[in-house]
Amino acid sequence: MNTKSKVAVIGLGNIGTAVATNLAKGNRAVIVADRTIEKASALSQKLGSLARPMEIAAAIKEADIIVFAIWFNAIKELLHQYATELEGKIIVDPSNPIAPDEKGGFKKIIGEKESAGEIISSLLPKKAKFAKAFGTLGVASLANAAFQKPANVLFYATDDSSINADIEQLILNNGFEPVRVGSIDQSIRIEVFGDLHEFGALGKTITKNEVAQLIEPSLV
Ligand SMILES: NC(=O)c1ccc[n+]([C@@H]2O[C@H](COP(=O)([O-])OP(=O)(O)OC[C@H]3O[C@@H](n4cnc5c(N)ncnc54)[C@H](OP(=O)(O)O)[C@@H]3O)[C@@H](O)[C@H]2O)c1
């Protein structure tokens, strides 16, 4: 497992704050960045010496792993804007491609059978490596179900098994048990409405011994 890779969380709303807070609790250093340095500085002061505030461009340049805790369309924009700086980096996408509907709920903003993970993986900068992770739980569970015994599961997907150790260490440092669901073509299962999502058919957090009946072992 690789704890030396430098991690940056870009976007410090619900999910970015929860991920950065968990990392600090898990004793992992984290670079935090948002649209303003003031927002990043305020969070890093709360989290203590393991958190470092930076401008987005500097954070992307410095980090090996970048968690884009921003909305789906904003991730697409930043991938384009920082294409050169992101070359060769590990990009982590927690996004759920949804927007409010007319009935006070949420609807998908991409095709029914499409996933944000597959779309974003088709837009990656050169030699960037990509994982879908941290989007499977709502923010309340991401914050409150971390660091439990036994640990709750966070699913991830990637096409590139060379980054499994990095992603798994990041999930462990967030206080969860990592479980790979397979390649990026499985992303839809761990996005909102998916069968492994807290706001989909699964509907709850689970521990590792409950996973066996949910995932085809050959996919993992
Ligand atoms: N909320 C959940 O329960 C949940 C669960 C799973 C996955 N997700 C996914 O996680 C992602 C973030 O959701 P969230 O609930 O954390 O959203 P959020 O609370 O609205 O936070 C988004 C943050 O990103 C910042 N931001 C927006 N555009 C940016 C840009 N271009 N560059 C840098 N920062 C930018 C926002 O800054 P400003 O305040 O300045 O706009 C805000 O701090 C989304 O893709 C969502 O689908 C959310």
Side-chain angles (χ1 to χ4, degrees), residues 106-134:
F106 286 93
K107 63 178 178 202
K108 258 181 111 160
I109 55 171
I110 57 178
E112 211 45 48
K113 293 191 174 155
E114 287 183 308
S115 67
E118 286 170 293
I119 293 173
I120 288 175
S121 75
S122 72
L123 303 171
L124 293 179
K126 267 190 251 164
K127 294 188 184 156
K129 297 163 184 181
F130 180 66
K132 184 89 209 174
F134 296 107

PDB file of all heavy atoms in Angstrom, residues 106-134:
ATOM      1  N   PHE A 106     -34.264  14.044  -7.596  1.00  0.00           N
ATOM      2  CA  PHE A 106     -33.126  14.199  -8.507  1.00  0.00           C
ATOM      3  C   PHE A 106     -33.327  13.343  -9.748  1.00  0.00           C
ATOM      4  O   PHE A 106     -33.956  12.294  -9.690  1.00  0.00           O
ATOM      5  CB  PHE A 106     -31.828  13.763  -7.812  1.00  0.00           C
ATOM      6  CG  PHE A 106     -31.350  14.746  -6.791  1.00  0.00           C
ATOM      7  CD1 PHE A 106     -31.715  14.616  -5.455  1.00  0.00           C
ATOM      8  CD2 PHE A 106     -30.563  15.824  -7.165  1.00  0.00           C
ATOM      9  CE1 PHE A 106     -31.294  15.543  -4.514  1.00  0.00           C
ATOM     10  CE2 PHE A 106     -30.131  16.758  -6.235  1.00  0.00           C
ATOM     11  CZ  PHE A 106     -30.502  16.611  -4.903  1.00  0.00           C
ATOM     12  N   LYS A 107     -32.792  13.816 -10.874  1.00  0.00           N
ATOM     13  CA  LYS A 107     -32.828  13.015 -12.100  1.00  0.00           C
ATOM     14  C   LYS A 107     -31.431  12.962 -12.714  1.00  0.00           C
ATOM     15  O   LYS A 107     -30.609  13.863 -12.473  1.00  0.00           O
ATOM     16  CB  LYS A 107     -33.827  13.614 -13.089  1.00  0.00           C
ATOM     17  CG  LYS A 107     -33.438  15.001 -13.528  1.00  0.00           C
ATOM     18  CD  LYS A 107     -34.394  15.584 -14.545  1.00  0.00           C
ATOM     19  CE  LYS A 107     -33.927  16.991 -14.874  1.00  0.00           C
ATOM     20  NZ  LYS A 107     -34.877  17.892 -15.414  1.00  0.00           N
ATOM     21  N   LYS A 108     -31.201  11.910 -13.494  1.00  0.00           N
ATOM     22  CA  LYS A 108     -29.910  11.775 -14.168  1.00  0.00           C
ATOM     23  C   LYS A 108     -29.790  12.816 -15.277  1.00  0.00           C
ATOM     24  O   LYS A 108     -30.769  13.077 -15.969  1.00  0.00           O
ATOM     25  CB  LYS A 108     -29.789  10.373 -14.776  1.00  0.00           C
ATOM     26  CG  LYS A 108     -28.932   9.429 -13.958  1.00  0.00           C
ATOM     27  CD  LYS A 108     -28.820   8.070 -14.587  1.00  0.00           C
ATOM     28  CE  LYS A 108     -27.411   7.833 -15.093  1.00  0.00           C
ATOM     29  NZ  LYS A 108     -27.089   6.409 -15.299  1.00  0.00           N
ATOM     30  N   ILE A 109     -28.610  13.368 -15.461  1.00  0.00           N
ATOM     31  CA  ILE A 109     -28.414  14.360 -16.519  1.00  0.00           C
ATOM     32  C   ILE A 109     -27.667  13.758 -17.709  1.00  0.00           C
ATOM     33  O   ILE A 109     -27.273  14.468 -18.631  1.00  0.00           O
ATOM     34  CB  ILE A 109     -27.675  15.620 -15.999  1.00  0.00           C
ATOM     35  CG1 ILE A 109     -26.341  15.237 -15.343  1.00  0.00           C
ATOM     36  CG2 ILE A 109     -28.561  16.400 -15.052  1.00  0.00           C
ATOM     37  CD1 ILE A 109     -25.460  16.429 -15.000  1.00  0.00           C
ATOM     38  N   ILE A 110     -27.440  12.439 -17.659  1.00  0.00           N
ATOM     39  CA  ILE A 110     -26.870  11.731 -18.813  1.00  0.00           C
ATOM     40  C   ILE A 110     -27.805  10.563 -19.127  1.00  0.00           C
ATOM     41  O   ILE A 110     -28.787  10.366 -18.408  1.00  0.00           O
ATOM     42  CB  ILE A 110     -25.427  11.233 -18.518  1.00  0.00           C
ATOM     43  CG1 ILE A 110     -25.413  10.322 -17.280  1.00  0.00           C
ATOM     44  CG2 ILE A 110     -24.474  12.397 -18.347  1.00  0.00           C
ATOM     45  CD1 ILE A 110     -24.044   9.744 -16.956  1.00  0.00           C
ATOM     46  N   GLY A 111     -27.508   9.834 -20.168  1.00  0.00           N
ATOM     47  CA  GLY A 111     -28.393   8.736 -20.574  1.00  0.00           C
ATOM     48  C   GLY A 111     -28.574   7.713 -19.461  1.00  0.00           C
ATOM     49  O   GLY A 111     -27.680   7.512 -18.629  1.00  0.00           O
ATOM     50  N   GLU A 112     -29.735   7.063 -19.470  1.00  0.00           N
ATOM     51  CA  GLU A 112     -30.094   6.090 -18.430  1.00  0.00           C
ATOM     52  C   GLU A 112     -28.996   5.037 -18.249  1.00  0.00           C
ATOM     53  O   GLU A 112     -28.696   4.634 -17.129  1.00  0.00           O
ATOM     54  CB  GLU A 112     -31.422   5.430 -18.859  1.00  0.00           C
ATOM     55  CG  GLU A 112     -32.320   4.989 -17.741  1.00  0.00           C
ATOM     56  CD  GLU A 112     -32.465   6.015 -16.614  1.00  0.00           C
ATOM     57  OE1 GLU A 112     -32.717   7.215 -16.875  1.00  0.00           O
ATOM     58  OE2 GLU A 112     -32.305   5.580 -15.476  1.00  0.00           O
ATOM     59  N   LYS A 113     -28.399   4.603 -19.369  1.00  0.00           N
ATOM     60  CA  LYS A 113     -27.411   3.518 -19.275  1.00  0.00           C
ATOM     61  C   LYS A 113     -25.971   4.040 -19.239  1.00  0.00           C
ATOM     62  O   LYS A 113     -25.021   3.252 -19.240  1.00  0.00           O
ATOM     63  CB  LYS A 113     -27.591   2.556 -20.459  1.00  0.00           C
ATOM     64  CG  LYS A 113     -28.920   1.836 -20.360  1.00  0.00           C
ATOM     65  CD  LYS A 113     -29.044   0.709 -21.332  1.00  0.00           C
ATOM     66  CE  LYS A 113     -30.347  -0.030 -21.027  1.00  0.00           C
ATOM     67  NZ  LYS A 113     -30.890  -0.733 -22.157  1.00  0.00           N
ATOM     68  N   GLU A 114     -25.823   5.361 -19.212  1.00  0.00           N
ATOM     69  CA  GLU A 114     -24.473   5.932 -19.171  1.00  0.00           C
ATOM     70  C   GLU A 114     -24.044   6.131 -17.717  1.00  0.00           C
ATOM     71  O   GLU A 114     -24.878   6.285 -16.832  1.00  0.00           O
ATOM     72  CB  GLU A 114     -24.463   7.296 -19.858  1.00  0.00           C
ATOM     73  CG  GLU A 114     -24.584   7.226 -21.367  1.00  0.00           C
ATOM     74  CD  GLU A 114     -24.490   8.616 -21.989  1.00  0.00           C
ATOM     75  OE1 GLU A 114     -25.229   9.527 -21.561  1.00  0.00           O
ATOM     76  OE2 GLU A 114     -23.673   8.772 -22.896  1.00  0.00           O
ATOM     77  N   SER A 115     -22.713   6.187 -17.506  1.00  0.00           N
ATOM     78  CA  SER A 115     -22.198   6.527 -16.178  1.00  0.00           C
ATOM     79  C   SER A 115     -21.252   7.720 -16.302  1.00  0.00           C
ATOM     80  O   SER A 115     -20.604   7.907 -17.338  1.00  0.00           O
ATOM     81  CB  SER A 115     -21.444   5.344 -15.578  1.00  0.00           C
ATOM     82  OG  SER A 115     -20.261   5.085 -16.313  1.00  0.00           O
ATOM     83  N   ALA A 116     -21.193   8.509 -15.227  1.00  0.00           N
ATOM     84  CA  ALA A 116     -20.234   9.615 -15.195  1.00  0.00           C
ATOM     85  C   ALA A 116     -18.823   9.058 -15.323  1.00  0.00           C
ATOM     86  O   ALA A 116     -17.973   9.630 -16.012  1.00  0.00           O
ATOM     87  CB  ALA A 116     -20.385  10.387 -13.887  1.00  0.00           C
ATOM     88  N   GLY A 117     -18.582   7.924 -14.665  1.00  0.00           N
ATOM     89  CA  GLY A 117     -17.237   7.335 -14.692  1.00  0.00           C
ATOM     90  C   GLY A 117     -16.760   7.050 -16.105  1.00  0.00           C
ATOM     91  O   GLY A 117     -15.628   7.382 -16.472  1.00  0.00           O
ATOM     92  N   GLU A 118     -17.626   6.444 -16.920  1.00  0.00           N
ATOM     93  CA  GLU A 118     -17.211   6.116 -18.294  1.00  0.00           C
ATOM     94  C   GLU A 118     -17.012   7.386 -19.122  1.00  0.00           C
ATOM     95  O   GLU A 118     -16.087   7.473 -19.927  1.00  0.00           O
ATOM     96  CB  GLU A 118     -18.250   5.209 -18.947  1.00  0.00           C
ATOM     97  CG  GLU A 118     -18.186   3.787 -18.415  1.00  0.00           C
ATOM     98  CD  GLU A 118     -19.358   2.958 -18.891  1.00  0.00           C
ATOM     99  OE1 GLU A 118     -20.498   3.245 -18.472  1.00  0.00           O
ATOM    100  OE2 GLU A 118     -19.145   2.025 -19.675  1.00  0.00           O
ATOM    101  N   ILE A 119     -17.896   8.378 -18.905  1.00  0.00           N
ATOM    102  CA  ILE A 119     -17.764   9.620 -19.687  1.00  0.00           C
ATOM    103  C   ILE A 119     -16.468  10.339 -19.306  1.00  0.00           C
ATOM    104  O   ILE A 119     -15.678  10.739 -20.161  1.00  0.00           O
ATOM    105  CB  ILE A 119     -18.999  10.526 -19.477  1.00  0.00           C
ATOM    106  CG1 ILE A 119     -20.226   9.856 -20.100  1.00  0.00           C
ATOM    107  CG2 ILE A 119     -18.761  11.924 -20.060  1.00  0.00           C
ATOM    108  CD1 ILE A 119     -21.547  10.545 -19.820  1.00  0.00           C
ATOM    109  N   ILE A 120     -16.221  10.461 -18.003  1.00  0.00           N
ATOM    110  CA  ILE A 120     -15.010  11.175 -17.571  1.00  0.00           C
ATOM    111  C   ILE A 120     -13.759  10.404 -17.980  1.00  0.00           C
ATOM    112  O   ILE A 120     -12.760  11.008 -18.395  1.00  0.00           O
ATOM    113  CB  ILE A 120     -15.077  11.476 -16.063  1.00  0.00           C
ATOM    114  CG1 ILE A 120     -16.114  12.585 -15.873  1.00  0.00           C
ATOM    115  CG2 ILE A 120     -13.714  11.904 -15.514  1.00  0.00           C
ATOM    116  CD1 ILE A 120     -16.437  12.969 -14.491  1.00  0.00           C
ATOM    117  N   SER A 121     -13.815   9.083 -17.937  1.00  0.00           N
ATOM    118  CA  SER A 121     -12.610   8.319 -18.310  1.00  0.00           C
ATOM    119  C   SER A 121     -12.276   8.486 -19.795  1.00  0.00           C
ATOM    120  O   SER A 121     -11.147   8.256 -20.212  1.00  0.00           O
ATOM    121  CB  SER A 121     -12.749   6.842 -17.949  1.00  0.00           C
ATOM    122  OG  SER A 121     -13.599   6.200 -18.852  1.00  0.00           O
ATOM    123  N   SER A 122     -13.263   8.929 -20.581  1.00  0.00           N
ATOM    124  CA  SER A 122     -12.980   9.151 -22.004  1.00  0.00           C
ATOM    125  C   SER A 122     -12.369  10.539 -22.253  1.00  0.00           C
ATOM    126  O   SER A 122     -11.998  10.865 -23.375  1.00  0.00           O
ATOM    127  CB  SER A 122     -14.266   9.009 -22.826  1.00  0.00           C
ATOM    128  OG  SER A 122     -15.113  10.123 -22.585  1.00  0.00           O
ATOM    129  N   LEU A 123     -12.271  11.353 -21.202  1.00  0.00           N
ATOM    130  CA  LEU A 123     -11.776  12.727 -21.350  1.00  0.00           C
ATOM    131  C   LEU A 123     -10.447  12.952 -20.633  1.00  0.00           C
ATOM    132  O   LEU A 123     -10.037  14.086 -20.408  1.00  0.00           O
ATOM    133  CB  LEU A 123     -12.808  13.710 -20.760  1.00  0.00           C
ATOM    134  CG  LEU A 123     -14.223  13.639 -21.339  1.00  0.00           C
ATOM    135  CD1 LEU A 123     -15.166  14.502 -20.507  1.00  0.00           C
ATOM    136  CD2 LEU A 123     -14.218  14.115 -22.794  1.00  0.00           C
ATOM    137  N   LEU A 124      -9.795  11.874 -20.242  1.00  0.00           N
ATOM    138  CA  LEU A 124      -8.613  12.022 -19.384  1.00  0.00           C
ATOM    139  C   LEU A 124      -7.428  12.634 -20.112  1.00  0.00           C
ATOM    140  O   LEU A 124      -7.194  12.340 -21.289  1.00  0.00           O
ATOM    141  CB  LEU A 124      -8.182  10.645 -18.855  1.00  0.00           C
ATOM    142  CG  LEU A 124      -9.136   9.975 -17.882  1.00  0.00           C
ATOM    143  CD1 LEU A 124      -8.582   8.616 -17.471  1.00  0.00           C
ATOM    144  CD2 LEU A 124      -9.377  10.842 -16.658  1.00  0.00           C
ATOM    145  N   PRO A 125      -6.646  13.437 -19.378  1.00  0.00           N
ATOM    146  CA  PRO A 125      -5.379  13.922 -19.931  1.00  0.00           C
ATOM    147  C   PRO A 125      -4.430  12.759 -20.196  1.00  0.00           C
ATOM    148  O   PRO A 125      -4.636  11.655 -19.680  1.00  0.00           O
ATOM    149  CB  PRO A 125      -4.824  14.807 -18.804  1.00  0.00           C
ATOM    150  CG  PRO A 125      -5.997  15.144 -17.956  1.00  0.00           C
ATOM    151  CD  PRO A 125      -6.941  13.993 -18.051  1.00  0.00           C
ATOM    152  N   LYS A 126      -3.343  13.031 -20.928  1.00  0.00           N
ATOM    153  CA  LYS A 126      -2.388  11.989 -21.316  1.00  0.00           C
ATOM    154  C   LYS A 126      -1.837  11.258 -20.098  1.00  0.00           C
ATOM    155  O   LYS A 126      -1.439  11.892 -19.121  1.00  0.00           O
ATOM    156  CB  LYS A 126      -1.204  12.629 -22.045  1.00  0.00           C
ATOM    157  CG  LYS A 126      -1.366  12.663 -23.534  1.00  0.00           C
ATOM    158  CD  LYS A 126      -0.041  13.077 -24.169  1.00  0.00           C
ATOM    159  CE  LYS A 126      -0.167  14.482 -24.719  1.00  0.00           C
ATOM    160  NZ  LYS A 126       1.053  15.157 -25.018  1.00  0.00           N
ATOM    161  N   LYS A 127      -1.810   9.948 -20.184  1.00  0.00           N
ATOM    162  CA  LYS A 127      -1.204   9.087 -19.153  1.00  0.00           C
ATOM    163  C   LYS A 127      -1.822   9.242 -17.776  1.00  0.00           C
ATOM    164  O   LYS A 127      -1.271   8.761 -16.788  1.00  0.00           O
ATOM    165  CB  LYS A 127       0.306   9.323 -19.057  1.00  0.00           C
ATOM    166  CG  LYS A 127       1.027   8.890 -20.310  1.00  0.00           C
ATOM    167  CD  LYS A 127       2.513   8.953 -20.109  1.00  0.00           C
ATOM    168  CE  LYS A 127       3.217   8.606 -21.410  1.00  0.00           C
ATOM    169  NZ  LYS A 127       4.537   9.144 -21.509  1.00  0.00           N
ATOM    170  N   ALA A 128      -2.920   9.968 -17.661  1.00  0.00           N
ATOM    171  CA  ALA A 128      -3.593  10.049 -16.361  1.00  0.00           C
ATOM    172  C   ALA A 128      -4.232   8.705 -16.070  1.00  0.00           C
ATOM    173  O   ALA A 128      -4.613   7.967 -16.977  1.00  0.00           O
ATOM    174  CB  ALA A 128      -4.638  11.151 -16.379  1.00  0.00           C
ATOM    175  N   LYS A 129      -4.308   8.386 -14.776  1.00  0.00           N
ATOM    176  CA  LYS A 129      -4.939   7.128 -14.343  1.00  0.00           C
ATOM    177  C   LYS A 129      -6.207   7.506 -13.601  1.00  0.00           C
ATOM    178  O   LYS A 129      -6.256   8.553 -12.953  1.00  0.00           O
ATOM    179  CB  LYS A 129      -3.970   6.367 -13.442  1.00  0.00           C
ATOM    180  CG  LYS A 129      -2.730   5.974 -14.196  1.00  0.00           C
ATOM    181  CD  LYS A 129      -1.605   5.592 -13.291  1.00  0.00           C
ATOM    182  CE  LYS A 129      -0.380   5.311 -14.161  1.00  0.00           C
ATOM    183  NZ  LYS A 129       0.759   4.914 -13.376  1.00  0.00           N
ATOM    184  N   PHE A 130      -7.180   6.628 -13.644  1.00  0.00           N
ATOM    185  CA  PHE A 130      -8.506   7.074 -13.227  1.00  0.00           C
ATOM    186  C   PHE A 130      -9.211   6.043 -12.360  1.00  0.00           C
ATOM    187  O   PHE A 130      -9.200   4.846 -12.672  1.00  0.00           O
ATOM    188  CB  PHE A 130      -9.337   7.338 -14.483  1.00  0.00           C
ATOM    189  CG  PHE A 130     -10.741   7.804 -14.201  1.00  0.00           C
ATOM    190  CD1 PHE A 130     -10.978   9.026 -13.603  1.00  0.00           C
ATOM    191  CD2 PHE A 130     -11.821   6.996 -14.530  1.00  0.00           C
ATOM    192  CE1 PHE A 130     -12.279   9.454 -13.345  1.00  0.00           C
ATOM    193  CE2 PHE A 130     -13.121   7.421 -14.282  1.00  0.00           C
ATOM    194  CZ  PHE A 130     -13.342   8.654 -13.682  1.00  0.00           C
ATOM    195  N   ALA A 131      -9.837   6.536 -11.291  1.00  0.00           N
ATOM    196  CA  ALA A 131     -10.690   5.660 -10.472  1.00  0.00           C
ATOM    197  C   ALA A 131     -11.973   6.387 -10.121  1.00  0.00           C
ATOM    198  O   ALA A 131     -12.001   7.605  -9.936  1.00  0.00           O
ATOM    199  CB  ALA A 131      -9.974   5.270  -9.185  1.00  0.00           C
ATOM    200  N   LYS A 132     -13.020   5.611 -10.055  1.00  0.00           N
ATOM    201  CA  LYS A 132     -14.311   6.086  -9.556  1.00  0.00           C
ATOM    202  C   LYS A 132     -14.363   5.684  -8.088  1.00  0.00           C
ATOM    203  O   LYS A 132     -14.226   4.495  -7.767  1.00  0.00           O
ATOM    204  CB  LYS A 132     -15.405   5.361 -10.347  1.00  0.00           C
ATOM    205  CG  LYS A 132     -16.790   5.786 -10.037  1.00  0.00           C
ATOM    206  CD  LYS A 132     -17.203   6.923 -10.906  1.00  0.00           C
ATOM    207  CE  LYS A 132     -18.223   7.771 -10.179  1.00  0.00           C
ATOM    208  NZ  LYS A 132     -18.571   8.982 -10.909  1.00  0.00           N
ATOM    209  N   ALA A 133     -14.539   6.645  -7.178  1.00  0.00           N
ATOM    210  CA  ALA A 133     -14.580   6.301  -5.741  1.00  0.00           C
ATOM    211  C   ALA A 133     -15.149   7.477  -4.956  1.00  0.00           C
ATOM    212  O   ALA A 133     -15.165   8.615  -5.444  1.00  0.00           O
ATOM    213  CB  ALA A 133     -13.178   5.972  -5.218  1.00  0.00           C
ATOM    214  N   PHE A 134     -15.595   7.203  -3.760  1.00  0.00           N
ATOM    215  CA  PHE A 134     -16.088   8.193  -2.792  1.00  0.00           C
ATOM    216  C   PHE A 134     -17.454   8.776  -3.135  1.00  0.00           C
ATOM    217  O   PHE A 134     -17.877   9.732  -2.502  1.00  0.00           O
ATOM    218  CB  PHE A 134     -15.084   9.345  -2.574  1.00  0.00           C
ATOM    219  CG  PHE A 134     -13.801   8.883  -1.956  1.00  0.00           C
ATOM    220  CD1 PHE A 134     -12.637   8.820  -2.712  1.00  0.00           C
ATOM    221  CD2 PHE A 134     -13.755   8.486  -0.639  1.00  0.00           C
ATOM    222  CE1 PHE A 134     -11.447   8.366  -2.157  1.00  0.00           C
ATOM    223  CE2 PHE A 134     -12.571   8.028  -0.067  1.00  0.00           C
ATOM    224  CZ  PHE A 134     -11.415   7.970  -0.832  1.00  0.00           C
TER     225      PHE A 134
END
